């Protein structure tokens, strides 16, 4: 049984911020893998984390260099290192099996961990997984096309002119993100309903852009193939209005996985936990059989 509270656990030579909630519950603990890359577990904690901890043990942690965890040498900001950190954390917690709960980019870490350590994975929860087949152009290549329809006509013309000489998908993604961030229609890219935008929270940790730039574009093309060979119960949470990852990617991943269940949210953008929190929590409860 895990004991609730905040603690520091060293993994890969880095002190990681860890918080356990719902430790008195039986069952394999859910371990949250936040997205970004470079963000923290804070937003999920605030939206649905403690509600899930009412019926299951949950481990929140901030990945190396992120949120409340210590920064490290930028050369260590790699997916293999994040996978190794996670396994050290699991060992330090004294649990044999975990249920990785990936959110957005965190789904890549959850999936890579499952592939590398399937004997330690009981089940998977994937919220908006950007995990594509090798033939798919990829999330970053598609980002400008996702931004384009949300812009005003003038903003759209400016972005297309900016993109014309750019061929690198990451450079094009950065340009598209810059355009939507400055757009008067930006809210429509991020949320289905603007009323669901959370208030600014001064306690929310800053993102680590150095880590983000180190990881973006390094996704392994064969990850979906490898994940599909594992017979692991998986819950895929997908939103119809998700313009970051889209709906097709998580839908198609669900089709490939042997034991996957797709839960569709028709009134959400990328942040499903903020727009449909009750359904989000109940989907996890049902998946866990609680």
């Amino acid at each position: 049984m895990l004991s609730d509270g905040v603690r520091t656990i060293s993994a890969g030579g880095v002190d990681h911020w860890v918080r356990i909630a719902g430790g008195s519950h039986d069952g394999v603990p859910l371990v949250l893998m936040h997205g970004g890359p470079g963000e923290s577990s804070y937003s999920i904690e605030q939206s649905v984390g403690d509600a899930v901890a009412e019926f299951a043990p949950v481990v929140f942690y901030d990945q190396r260099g992120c949120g409340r965890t210590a920064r490290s040498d930028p050369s260590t900001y790699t997916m293999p290192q994040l996978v190794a950190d996670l396994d050290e954390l699991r060992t330090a917690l004294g649990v044999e099996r975990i249920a990785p709960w990936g959110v957005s980019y965190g789904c890549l870490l959850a999936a890579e961990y499952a592939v590398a350590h399937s004997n330690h994975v009981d089940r998977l929860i994937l919220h908006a997984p950007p995990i594509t087949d090798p033939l798919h152009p990829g999330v970053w290549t598609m980002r400008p096309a996702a931004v384009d329809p949300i812009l005003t006509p003038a903003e759209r013309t400016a972005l297309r002119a900016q993109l014309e000489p750019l061929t690198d998908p990451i450079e094009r993604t950065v340009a598209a993100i810059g355009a939507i961030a400055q757009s008067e229609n930006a809210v429509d890219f991020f949320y289905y309903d603007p009323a669901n935008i959370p208030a600014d929270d001064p306690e929310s940790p800053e993102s680590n852009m150095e880590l983000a730039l180190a990881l973006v574009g390094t996704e392994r093309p064969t990850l979906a193939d490898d994940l599909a060979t594992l017979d692991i119960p998986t819950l895929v949470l997908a939103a119809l209005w998700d313009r970051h990852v889209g709906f097709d990617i998580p839908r198609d991943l669900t089709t490939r996985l042997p034991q996957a269940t797709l839960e569709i949210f028709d009134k959400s953008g990328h942040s499903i936990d903020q727009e449909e929190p009750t359904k989000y929590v109940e989907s996890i409860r049902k998946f866990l059989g609680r």
Side-chain angles (χ1 to χ4, degrees):
M1 182 180 296
L2 298 171
S3 59
D4 289 356
V6 175
R7 65 202 67 184
T8 298
I9 296 179
S10 180
V14 172
D15 288 339
H16 285 69
W17 177 93
V18 177
R19 175 179 167 241
I20 297 170
S24 61
H25 298 298
D26 293 332
V28 173
L30 277 63
V31 180
L32 180 72
M33 281 145 226
H34 64 76
E39 298 294 334
S40 74
S41 61
Y42 185 84
S43 64
I44 294 289
E45 278 187 276
Q46 299 301 306
S47 60
V48 297
D50 285 329
V52 173
E54 290 181 3
F55 55 81
V58 181
V59 178
F60 304 100
Y61 84 101
D62 291 347
Q63 297 152 25
R64 68 168 50 223
C66 299
R68 295 149 289 189
T69 287
R71 300 285 176 115
S72 66
D73 183 336
S75 68
T76 68
Y77 293 156
T78 67
M79 184 60 73
Q81 183 61 62
L82 294 180
V83 170
D85 289 346
L86 176 55
D87 201 50
E88 281 197 50
L89 287 169
R90 179 196 59 77
T91 301
L93 291 169
V95 295
E96 181 64 23
R97 292 166 70 81
I98 62 172
W101 171 10
V103 176
S104 188
Y105 198 90
C107 293
L108 293 167
L109 174 55
E112 289 285 12
Y113 183 83
V115 169
H117 301 282
S118 60
N119 57 315
H120 294 305
V121 174
D122 180 75
R123 59 190 60 221
L124 284 168
I125 299 173
L126 303 176
H127 165 171
I131 302 172
T132 61
D133 286 321
L135 297 183
H136 193 281
V139 173
W140 308 117
T141 298
M142 295 177 63
R143 185 57 54 85
V147 167
D148 190 72
I150 302 301
L151 302 174
T152 66
E155 292 166 346
R156 185 177 299 119
T157 298
L159 175 61
R160 291 179 181 182
Q162 184 180 1
L163 292 175
E164 189 172 352
L166 302 179
T167 57
D168 180 75
I170 303 305
E171 291 182 355
R172 291 172 62 84
T173 293
V174 170
I177 291 174
I180 197 65
Q182 299 171 24
S183 174
E184 60 186 75
N185 297 332
V187 65
D188 295 324
F189 184 79
F190 296 101
Y191 289 87
Y192 169 78
D193 184 350
N196 293 326
I197 301 174
D200 288 340
D201 187 344
E203 299 298 320
S204 180
E206 293 184 2
S207 61
N208 182 347
M209 291 307 298
E210 188 173 41
L211 181 143
L213 293 174
L215 287 175
V216 165
T218 65
E219 299 84 4
R220 188 162 62 85
T222 55
L223 175 58
D225 287 344
D226 291 343
L227 190 62
T229 67
L230 305 179
D231 197 20
I232 296 176
T234 303
L235 174 64
V236 179
L237 308 172
L240 286 179
W241 299 94
D242 185 347
R243 299 184 187 278
H244 285 261
V245 171
F247 179 74
D248 290 356
I249 291 173
R251 180 204 63 201
D252 292 347
L253 181 67
T254 304
T255 300
R256 294 205 59 199
L257 303 185
Q259 288 198 66
T261 299
L262 177 65
E263 192 71 44
I264 301 171
F265 296 78
D266 62 358
K267 295 180 176 60
S268 291
H270 191 62
S271 299
I272 309 169
D273 57 296
Q274 295 173 2
E275 300 218 66
E276 296 183 75
T278 300
K279 182 178 178 181
Y280 190 107
V281 172
E282 288 305 309
S283 298
I284 294 177
R285 184 198 297 273
K286 180 180 178 182
F287 175 64
L288 297 178
R290 299 303 175 97

